[in-house]
Amino acid sequence: MAHPSPPFSARLVQFWCQRAPLQRGKLRLVRWAANRCLANGAHLQATRLDCGVEIECDLSRLIQQQLFFTGTYHTERQQLADWRRQARSSRLILDVGANVGIYSLEAKAANPQAQVLAFEPTPQWAAHLRGTIARNAIDGLEVLEAATVRSAPI
């Protein structure tokens, strides 16, 4: 199903956010552009992440706004770079609390031969990640709709 296109101003913000090294004020700009998209009824948008995977983003959600406009988790670029470096030499990778699966997707892109297990107990996010896996025909990335602990420590 085709979604309404984002306004030109939002695409311009997306282009700048994915290329400009400046970080200060970027999230304010992302929120502004997301609000423009939402006002135009363009709340679901597909984008390509830095790792090359296409993902559908709900622009009413803050984290997915970052994914759409910046191509990754804006504030975690260094952590993701470290994660990719570690993933390259790993055979089994666990993503605990996967959410929409950015760390799982980055690991799989960095090491296509690795087995990646994404643990996500929230049915909505587990389904979203499964949809991304199917959309990109990714093998070796399994979503386990489960928590990894029974309860929080006291």
Side-chain angles (χ1 to χ4, degrees), residues 43-70:
H43 77 284
L44 289 177
Q45 294 295 316
T47 193
R48 192 159 303 282
L49 301 176
D50 288 354
C51 64
V53 172
E54 187 176 296
I55 187 170
E56 186 172 77
C57 298
D58 179 347
L59 298 184
S60 67
R61 304 209 169 259
L62 183 61
I63 288 176
Q64 293 185 42
Q65 289 173 10
Q66 287 183 45
L67 298 178
F68 179 75
F69 287 103
T70 69

Side-chain angles (χ1 to χ4, degrees), residues 16 18 36 41 44 47 67 73 75 95 98 103-104 111 118 134-135:
W16 182 83
Q18 292 179 3
R36 301 263 312 163
L44 289 177
T47 193
L67 298 178
Y73 286 141
T75 56
D95 183 0
Y103 281 84
S104 295
N111 185 350
R135 174 188 293 235

Side-chain angles (χ1 to χ4, degrees), residues 101-129:
I102 300 307
Y103 281 84
S104 295
L105 298 167
E106 288 277 356
K108 199 62 184 164
N111 185 350
Q113 290 76 36
Q115 175 67 33
V116 179
L117 302 177
F119 294 87
E120 177 48 59
T122 308
Q124 174 187 3
W125 302 129
H128 188 278
L129 179 51

Side-chain angles (χ1 to χ4, degrees), residues 16-17 20-31 70 74-75:
W16 182 83
C17 284
L22 302 173
Q23 299 305 314
R24 189 176 176 100
K26 204 174 260 190
L27 287 180
R28 264 191 306 272
L29 191 57
V30 162
R31 284 190 210 107
T70 69
H74 165 67
T75 56

Side-chain angles (χ1 to χ4, degrees), residues 64-115:
Q64 293 185 42
Q65 289 173 10
Q66 287 183 45
L67 298 178
F68 179 75
F69 287 103
T70 69
T72 190
Y73 286 141
H74 165 67
T75 56
E76 297 183 20
R77 284 192 185 276
Q78 185 57 52
Q79 291 92 325
L80 282 164
D82 294 341
W83 178 258
R84 281 189 301 273
R85 230 180 341 276
Q86 292 297 320
R88 285 186 194 110
S89 61
S90 301
R91 293 186 312 186
L92 175 64
I93 300 163
L94 306 178
D95 183 0
V96 178
N99 196 277
V100 296
I102 300 307
Y103 281 84
S104 295
L105 298 167
E106 288 277 356
K108 199 62 184 164
N111 185 350
Q113 290 76 36
Q115 175 67 33

